Amino acid sequence: MERVLSSVQIVALLVSASYGIGFLFGSGELALTHGMAGSIYGMATGVGMLALAVAAKPLWRSGLSVWDLFGRAYGSSLRGLVAVLSLVWMAGVLAAQIHGGVAAARLLGIPDPYGLFMVLGLVYAAAHMSLHMASRVFAGCLLMSGLVLVYALVAADGVPLYWQAVPRFFEDLDTYTASQVSTMSVAVGLLVVTGADYHQFVLSGRTARSAVIGCVLAGLALILIGFLPAAVVVAMQSSGALANMPDGKQVIPWVLSRKAGDLMGVLGPGMLVALSLAALGSGAAILRAMASAISTILPSTRRPGFASAAGLMLGAMLASRDQGIVQTMVSVNIVYLASIGVCFVALLANIRLPAQHARATLIAGFVVSGGVYVASWWGLVPQQADISSLLAGLAASFGVAVGFRCVAGLRGAGVTKSCH
């Protein structure tokens, strides 16, 4: 791996990888009902980036991302299983982009379900195109949306509110339950720490110091940016401008298109098109990664069209649920983290697990946590299903791991009776 990135370049790449449709639209959606605490996704992302700074130095020295270390510790076969589990959180990110694309399509006057079909078709087509230029367009669209968001904050007299964002954020946290705060913080923050998509930038730093500084500055920048969508929504909500907003997912694209239109009429629809392109570009990138993972897992699906269709179907299934954008990502992140959590902690603690035991531990966590998640679709689990999914999955993984070690210890001592 080439170590060529300065700390400033690392900051730019980490922030651009974090600030997307889920971050932007999801924070605005939450702000409608949770005030400044709607920034919790951005705050968790920023804090996760600061936590990544703690691991950046040893990570940089190793030259391997955490999941390469994971595969080296537990064997190559387990790396494939981790790839399967990675499809879970990637599907959640894809579903968030689909939500965002559909929200923009509705504002453009495209009714359901045609807007959904159009978004799915365009994401599928974009995934088979060269993403080099698309990535630039995607970044440009998000940059433009950020500038318009700042303008919207000033126009709505929300600057004083933004300066009071931190105390207001903690005040409005009471609108969540304790389990909601904990699961959202864990699901988002830990995925930043363990995400190989972020690790690639850390590993490419010129020095370990560059990697650490880049993570710290990116974390602080994301915290500052994270308050913007909620501040704009709260400021406009207090003036009554959002009284008739039919869908929380539409609030940020609606605000951005309206404020862009105030500058020049044609910019209103143009902003919606730009946001749609951003959603399509991000969705295409994640779908491409999902197709690659599916092709690796199932060699018979080497045809990219089939693998992409399978990944798109998985994302569409998650998007079809009546969940918020952030909640969609959090729920599936929880399943992923509950599956790999015990083995990951064992790796950090230098506790040796045989490959077979690690595989059984991962599978147990996934089956139980995923089972709770699916049961919540049918209303078989209480409203706080995420915390149940996390705790049940971790308990199952831990029980399997401890059981194997207990049995192995008894066999080593020559004891044949069962482990109690």
Side-chain angles (χ1 to χ4, degrees):
M1 178 169 291
E2 296 184 33
R3 300 187 185 272
V4 296
L5 298 180
S6 67
S7 57
V8 174
Q9 290 172 316
I10 293 173
V11 172
L13 290 168
L14 288 174
V15 171
S16 63
S18 305
Y19 178 75
I21 294 298
F23 188 107
L24 187 61
F25 288 18
S27 297
E29 181 185 18
L30 288 176
L32 279 176
T33 52
H34 298 285
M36 286 304 299
S39 304
I40 191 169
Y41 182 85
M43 297 307 100
T45 304
V47 172
M49 201 66 70
L50 295 177
L52 180 59
V54 177
K57 189 172 183 178
L59 190 65
W60 185 89
R61 285 177 174 173
S62 72
L64 298 171
S65 72
V66 67
W67 297 123
D68 288 326
L69 292 171
F70 200 99
R72 186 176 69 179
Y74 298 123
S76 59
S77 63
L78 207 63
R79 187 180 286 114
L81 181 56
V82 172
V84 175
L85 297 175
S86 297
L87 287 171
V88 175
W89 71 262
M90 286 193 287
V93 175
L94 176 59
Q97 312 313 310
I98 294 172
H99 277 311
V102 171
R106 288 171 180 165
L107 290 173
L108 285 169
I110 304 173
D112 295 335
Y114 304 108
L116 174 62
F117 294 150
M118 183 191 72
V119 169
L120 293 178
L122 290 175
V123 168
Y124 180 85
H128 293 86
M129 297 170 61
S130 172
L131 295 182
H132 179 68
M133 182 59 69
S135 63
R136 293 185 178 182
V137 173
F138 168 58
C141 292
L142 286 178
L143 176 61
M144 182 167 56
S145 71
L147 295 175
V148 176
L149 197 64
V150 172
Y151 168 72
L153 180 68
V154 175
D157 296 323
V159 176
L161 175 64
Y162 181 79
W163 292 127
Q164 295 296 317
V166 174
R168 284 288 300 270
F169 172 77
F170 286 105
E171 288 175 11
D172 291 345
L173 277 180
D174 290 340
T175 59
Y176 296 105
T177 64
S179 63
Q180 286 177 318
V181 173
S182 59
T183 52
M184 281 192 283
S185 301
V186 168
V188 177
L190 282 185
L191 202 65
V192 172
V193 176
T194 60
D197 49 343
Y198 295 112
H199 294 169
Q200 62 181 323
F201 307 131
V202 174
L203 296 175
S204 297
R206 290 175 184 168
T207 63
R209 185 171 181 271
S210 298
V212 173
I213 293 175
C215 290
V216 171
L217 294 180
L220 296 176
L222 286 168
I223 290 173
L224 291 175
I225 295 171
F227 286 124
L228 274 175
V232 171
V233 170
V234 172
M236 295 191 69
Q237 194 175 35
S238 63
S239 67
L242 304 179
N244 298 319
M245 183 58 55
D247 184 2
K249 298 180 182 68
Q250 295 179 336
V251 63
I252 289 297
W254 182 83
V255 167
L256 292 177
S257 63
R258 179 178 177 182
K259 293 305 176 183
D262 290 344
L263 294 173
M264 185 182 299
V266 71
L267 291 181
M271 175 56 68
L272 291 175
V273 172
L275 292 170
S276 300
L277 290 174
L280 293 175
S282 183
I286 197 70
L287 181 58
R288 208 172 196 182
M290 292 178 71
S292 178
I294 291 172
S295 297
T296 300
I297 299 162
L298 302 173
S300 61
T301 62
R302 289 293 179 183
R303 290 178 298 173
F306 180 86
S308 296
L312 190 64
M313 184 178 298
L314 185 58
M317 287 175 57
L318 295 180
S320 67
R321 292 196 66 196
D322 187 21
Q323 278 189 308
I325 293 175
V326 171
Q327 188 59 43
T328 298
M329 294 187 289
V330 166
S331 296
V332 292
N333 285 2
I334 285 293
V335 175
Y336 175 69
L337 293 171
S339 304
I340 58 92
V342 171
C343 286
F344 180 56
V345 171
L347 175 61
L348 294 180
N350 201 28
I351 298 175
R352 287 297 208 180
L353 292 178
Q356 298 88 342
H357 298 178
R359 186 182 302 110
T361 300
L362 282 170
I363 293 174
F366 174 70
V367 170
V368 173
S369 181
V372 173
Y373 171 68
V374 172
S376 69
W377 286 37
W378 298 315
L380 302 178
V381 179
Q383 289 185 344
Q384 306 302 326
D386 288 341
I387 191 67
S388 300
S389 176
L390 176 63
L391 295 179
L394 289 176
S397 288
F398 185 75
V400 169
V402 170
F404 273 123
R405 288 184 67 84
C406 189
V407 170
L410 290 175
R411 287 176 177 173
V415 180
T416 58
K417 62 181 180 179
S418 300
C419 176
H420 297 286

